[in-house]
C-alpha cells in the first residue's frame, strides 16, 4: 500500500481515511462499516488519492479477524486501474455491437426486397443437409405468405420440406465454392 499511495510506512500509519479517499461520504462509509461488523467481511470499490494527488480506482476488501481475543480489522487494497480500463473497453464494444445490430435491423426491415437469412447445417461429412431460418424481413413474410414469428429458428426441411433439395443445391454449391458459409434468399 505504501508503494501504491507513495507514502512511507510511518506516514501511512498516521494518515486519515480522508487523505486517501477521493469521496469520503460519511453515510456510505458508515454503511460499509456496519456491513463489515455484521458480515465479518466486505468488498467495495473506491477512488483513492495518492500522496502526489493522483486518483486511482481501488478495490478494498475488509475483514474482521480475532487475534489474542482482540478484534482486528484487516483491509486489502488493490489497484484496479487495468480492470476499469477493460470494463470501459467492453462497454464501448457492447455499445458498438448494439448500434451495429440496430443499423442492421433498420436496413433489413426497410428493404424494398424480401430478405431472409439462413444458416446452413452440415452432416458428419461436412456436406450441407439443411438450414435454419435465422431472420427475415416483413416483405419476405408477405411475398411467401408466411408467419415468420412461428418459423424463425426452424429448419427449412420443416418449413418447406418440398423445397429443401433445391435450397441445399443452390446454397450448398455457393458454400462449396467458399463464396459464403451462410445462405441468403432474396424474394422477388
Amino acid at each position: 500500500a505504501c508503494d501504491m499511495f507513495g507514502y512511507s510506512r510511518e506516514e501511512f500509519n498516521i494518515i486519515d481515511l480522508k487523505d486517501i479517499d477521493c469521496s469520503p461520504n460519511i453515510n456510505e462509509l458508515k454503511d460499509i462499516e456496519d456491513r463489515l461488523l455484521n458480515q465479518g467481511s466486505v468488498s467495495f470499490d473506491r477512488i483513492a488519492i495518492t500522496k502526489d494527488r493522483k486518483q486511482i480506482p481501488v478495490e478494498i476488501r475488509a475483514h474482521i479477524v480475532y487475534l489474542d481475543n482482540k478484534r482486528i480489522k484487516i483491509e486489502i487494497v488493490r489497484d484496479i486501474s487495468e480492470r476499469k480500463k477493460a470494463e470501459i473497453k467492453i462497454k464501448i464494444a457492447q455499445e458498438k455491437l448494439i448500434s451495429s445490430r440496430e443499423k442492421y435491423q433498420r436496413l433489413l426491415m426497410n428493404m424494398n426486397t424480401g430478405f431472409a437469412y439462413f444458416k446452413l447445417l452440415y452432416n458428419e461429412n461436412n456436406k450441407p443437409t439443411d438450414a435454419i431460418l435465422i431472420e427475415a424481413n416483413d416483405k419476405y413474410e408477405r411475398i411467401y405468405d408466411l408467419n415468420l414469428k412461428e418459423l424463425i429458428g426452424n429448419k427449412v426441411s420443416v418449413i418447406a420440406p418440398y423445397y429443401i433439395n433445391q435450397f441445399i443445391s443452390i446454397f450448398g454449391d455457393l458454400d462449396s465454392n467458399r463464396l459464403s458459409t451462410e445462405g441468403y434468399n432474396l424474394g422477388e
Side-chain angles (χ1 to χ4, degrees):
C2 294
D3 290 339
M4 184 187 322
F5 290 103
Y7 291 98
S8 68
R9 181 176 289 279
E10 295 77 26
E11 291 172 314
F12 201 75
N13 285 333
I14 60 170
I15 62 173
D16 193 63
L17 178 62
K18 68 181 179 350
D19 295 326
I20 61 169
D21 193 335
C22 191
S23 55
N25 178 314
I26 299 302
N27 292 331
E28 185 180 359
L29 293 176
K30 183 172 177 0
D31 178 55
I32 291 169
E33 190 69 27
D34 289 345
R35 284 189 295 141
L36 176 61
L37 293 174
N38 291 330
Q39 299 171 6
S41 66
V42 67
S43 177
F44 55 97
D45 293 353
R46 303 294 288 178
I47 300 295
I49 304 171
T50 63
K51 185 177 180 179
D52 64 359
R53 311 309 294 163
K54 178 182 170 191
Q55 294 184 6
I56 56 171
V58 295
E59 175 188 66
I60 301 170
R61 292 179 184 245
H63 303 274
I64 298 289
V65 296
Y66 292 89
L67 185 63
D68 296 329
N69 293 324
K70 291 183 183 178
R71 186 177 71 191
I72 300 171
K73 179 170 64 171
I74 297 174
E75 293 181 346
I76 301 167
V77 180
R78 184 170 66 104
D79 182 345
I80 57 171
S81 299
E82 293 304 314
R83 184 181 88 190
K84 291 296 184 181
K85 288 176 189 175
E87 288 172 356
I88 290 169
K89 286 180 182 179
I90 289 170
K91 183 178 180 186
I92 290 169
Q94 288 172 331
E95 288 170 357
K96 285 180 179 179
L97 182 61
I98 289 168
S99 175
S100 176
R101 176 80 176 155
E102 288 169 353
K103 287 176 188 175
Y104 165 75
Q105 281 295 112
R106 282 193 305 273
L107 174 66
L108 177 66
M109 294 307 159
N110 292 320
M111 289 176 71
N112 291 327
T113 305
F115 176 87
Y117 170 61
F118 295 88
K119 181 177 181 183
L120 290 174
L121 302 175
Y122 300 87
N123 65 16
E124 62 279 351
N125 297 323
N126 207 26
K127 297 290 182 191
T129 57
D130 208 336
I132 295 177
L133 177 59
I134 302 294
E135 197 164 11
N137 65 6
D138 58 345
K139 293 177 184 63
Y140 188 87
E141 183 175 38
R142 284 195 300 267
I143 290 167
Y144 293 102
D145 195 26
L146 300 169
N147 182 344
L148 292 176
K149 288 187 175 108
E150 294 174 6
L151 300 177
I152 289 178
N154 282 310
K155 294 179 180 180
V156 172
S157 60
V158 173
I159 298 168
Y162 49 86
Y163 185 62
I164 187 65
N165 290 335
Q166 184 181 5
F167 186 92
I168 293 301
S169 173
I170 293 168
F171 294 106
D173 286 346
L174 285 176
D175 186 54
S176 67
N177 292 324
R178 300 296 180 225
L179 296 174
S180 171
T181 59
E182 293 159 342
Y184 297 89
N185 184 1
L186 296 174
E188 299 187 20

